[in-house]
Amino acid sequence: MAYANLYRPDRLFLPQQRLTAFAETVPTPFYLYHEEGIRKSAQLICGSFRWAPEHLALFPISANSCPQVLRIFREAGFGALARSVQELALARSCGFSEIAFHTAAMTPEAVRAVKDAPCTVIFDSPAQIEAMEGRFPARCALRYHPEKEPGRSAAAVLRHKSGMDRAQILDAVRILSAAGVEEIGLHCHIDGNPGEEFYPAAADMAFSLAQEVFLGTGIRFAFVDPGGGIGLRREADRGMVQLSRVGALVRERYEASFGAGYRPAIWTEFGRCAVARHGLLICRVTEIRERTRVYAILDASTGQLPDLLLGGARHPISVVGTCSKNGRRVYSVHGCTPDVREILCDRAILPVLSPGKLLAIRDAGAYCESMQIPRCMGPACGSYLYTEDGSFVPTA
């Protein structure tokens, strides 16, 4: 395995002296979110799709369920995407006026929840449509599972359980239209990918199906959501995905697909790229063990970074207050529980560590705090918002 040289000492969103001083006043580990960075990210997403008719940006609550973070997106004009009854309740409590609800299992509890308050229901299968017993909200959407996805093998696509095929979509459109649903949308089940060409290609597939449905049924989709979003690039030499370019490429495909008489709205749901880089997990080294390798044991756990445990995600590490390029060592960085899977970074090249050293694990703004895994029995973890005036505000 190649060395995971993920040391980035110069990319924190606040002065390291400020972070060091604050970490002396609260226990580690804790999450730290950057208010200004999140606001700018929200503005960039909206600006990249300003050309789109009636563009609605949705923020997936599963990406970050911190109420303060959610309110930032609400203030920026975002809607919320909820994937459970609990997330639906959280979206309502945070004041979102536009909420889309999608779940893999339309339980009686979920049916009651979507009937109690207005929201857009995204149906995952024909059985979910039947579960509504003919009582539909004014706006619904159908989740499409394409036979192919850009950049993914056919076998990987077939393993997904979510979404409907083309024939099911056509049948479902007719059912919802006959039931008097005022607006029907198309939502694609396409996973995020860290590339500028991926999302426009996914959008092109969605636009093509929208036209096919129109020609086959005469029914127009009110909006199209290509789904998925954009992941994070890990290669330091390739830089970040340029959302403005992504928006321009989607626009080209939109204008090639739709004429003046049929212009569906565009919905987007960028989650990871909206917040991941604006969050840190702050922790300390508790012990250095020299065996066949040099192990750095932290007071944090993979339970605070569940993508590491489930998918092997790589989170770059900064050693706070250390900028020297000399005297680095190779460490296997591990969490604090005895679980053999508690590997946060294997063979990372870092400055010399010692007990008490403060580390900042980056890209922790998305799918970290909101998806902590209780069975890992990790330590209690605080959460704070680094505000635009330089204050640290608890989020709980």
Side-chain angles (χ1 to χ4, degrees):
M1 180 186 295
Y3 288 144
N5 188 2
L6 299 176
Y7 179 53
R8 298 289 183 269
D10 57 344
R11 296 188 180 181
L12 302 185
F13 51 70
L14 77 166
Q16 296 192 30
Q17 298 88 340
R18 289 272 295 149
L19 177 55
T20 301
F22 178 69
E24 295 296 331
T25 66
V26 297
T28 54
F30 62 85
Y31 296 102
L32 184 63
Y33 302 114
H34 188 207
E35 180 183 15
E36 182 181 3
I38 295 171
R39 290 191 187 280
K40 288 182 177 179
S41 180
Q43 293 168 3
L44 178 60
I45 291 170
C46 292
S48 299
F49 288 86
R50 189 169 289 117
W51 57 267
E54 301 180 60
H55 171 238
L56 174 62
L58 296 173
F59 182 75
I61 290 180
S62 61
N64 193 304
S65 57
C66 174
Q68 282 82 347
V69 170
L70 295 176
R71 291 187 185 105
I72 292 174
F73 283 102
R74 184 207 65 201
E75 292 167 4
F78 275 57
L81 176 62
R83 294 182 174 135
S84 68
V85 173
Q86 293 76 18
E87 288 185 3
L88 185 60
L90 179 57
R92 289 168 178 164
S93 69
C94 289
F96 284 98
S97 58
E98 292 284 356
I99 303 174
F101 177 74
H102 166 254
T103 181
M106 190 63 76
T107 62
E109 181 187 15
V111 172
R112 288 193 299 270
V114 299
K115 289 179 179 179
D116 287 342
C119 66
T120 300
V121 179
I122 301 171
F123 292 111
D124 200 61
S125 67
Q128 291 192 349
I129 296 175
E130 294 175 7
M132 297 298 291
E133 298 178 339
R135 294 178 56 195
F136 300 102
R139 186 165 59 192
C140 299
L142 303 171
R143 197 176 200 205
Y144 170 53
H145 184 177
E147 293 78 14
K148 296 180 180 179
E149 290 185 21
R152 303 190 69 200
S153 68
V157 174
L158 289 173
R159 281 197 296 268
H160 282 287
K161 67 180 183 300
S162 299
M164 294 180 265
D165 60 27
R166 288 174 178 262
Q168 291 173 324
I169 291 287
L170 287 165
D171 289 341
V173 166
R174 295 186 179 98
I175 292 170
L176 294 181
S177 179
V181 175
E182 297 175 11
E183 296 183 10
I184 304 173
L186 177 65
H187 179 279
C188 282
H189 174 231
I190 299 177
D191 291 334
N193 181 284
E196 291 173 358
E197 299 292 337
F198 167 82
Y199 192 79
D204 198 34
M205 294 173 61
F207 299 156
S208 174
L209 178 59
Q211 285 286 24
E212 181 181 335
V213 169
F214 174 60
L215 294 175
T217 66
I219 299 170
R220 301 178 178 182
F221 284 119
F223 61 91
V224 176
D225 180 351
I230 298 173
L232 296 178
R233 281 179 172 164
R234 299 297 182 187
E235 301 87 342
D237 59 334
R238 294 184 66 188
M240 295 178 62
V241 172
Q242 298 298 313
L243 275 175
S244 57
R245 172 168 167 74
V246 171
L249 292 173
V250 173
R251 182 177 187 175
E252 291 178 5
R253 288 158 172 77
Y254 181 91
E255 293 179 348
S257 298
F258 301 106
Y262 180 17
R263 307 278 288 182
I266 297 296
W267 288 18
T268 56
E269 51 181 78
F270 298 109
R272 185 180 294 277
C273 74
V275 290
R277 297 191 187 277
H278 307 300
L280 303 170
L281 177 64
I282 308 301
C283 54
R284 290 190 185 276
V285 177
T286 62
E287 184 182 349
I288 301 296
R289 297 179 185 175
E290 303 222 13
R291 304 276 177 83
T292 54
R293 296 183 183 181
V294 182
Y295 294 91
I297 312 299
L298 308 184
D299 60 1
S301 163
T302 51
Q304 274 99 39
L305 298 166
D307 274 5
L308 281 170
L309 188 62
L310 298 175
R314 299 171 68 199
H315 291 258
I317 299 173
S318 292
V319 182
V320 180
T322 303
C323 298
S324 172
K325 295 183 179 180
N326 300 320
R328 297 189 183 183
R329 298 190 70 183
V330 179
Y331 293 93
S332 184
V333 184
H334 283 239
C336 59
T337 75
D339 198 308
V340 295
R341 293 164 292 186
E342 275 281 279
I343 303 175
L344 283 91
C345 188
D346 188 35
R347 298 201 289 179
I349 302 174
L350 300 170
V352 175
L353 300 177
S354 59
K357 275 285 188 181
L358 194 67
L359 303 187
I361 302 180
R362 298 190 293 110
D363 296 352
Y367 302 108
C368 292
E369 180 178 3
S370 63
M371 294 180 67
Q372 289 186 69
I373 303 174
R375 68 176 177 83
C376 290
M377 297 301 290
C381 194
S383 178
Y384 301 88
L385 184 70
Y386 184 66
T387 63
E388 294 178 277
D389 64 3
S391 301
F392 295 87
V393 178
T395 64

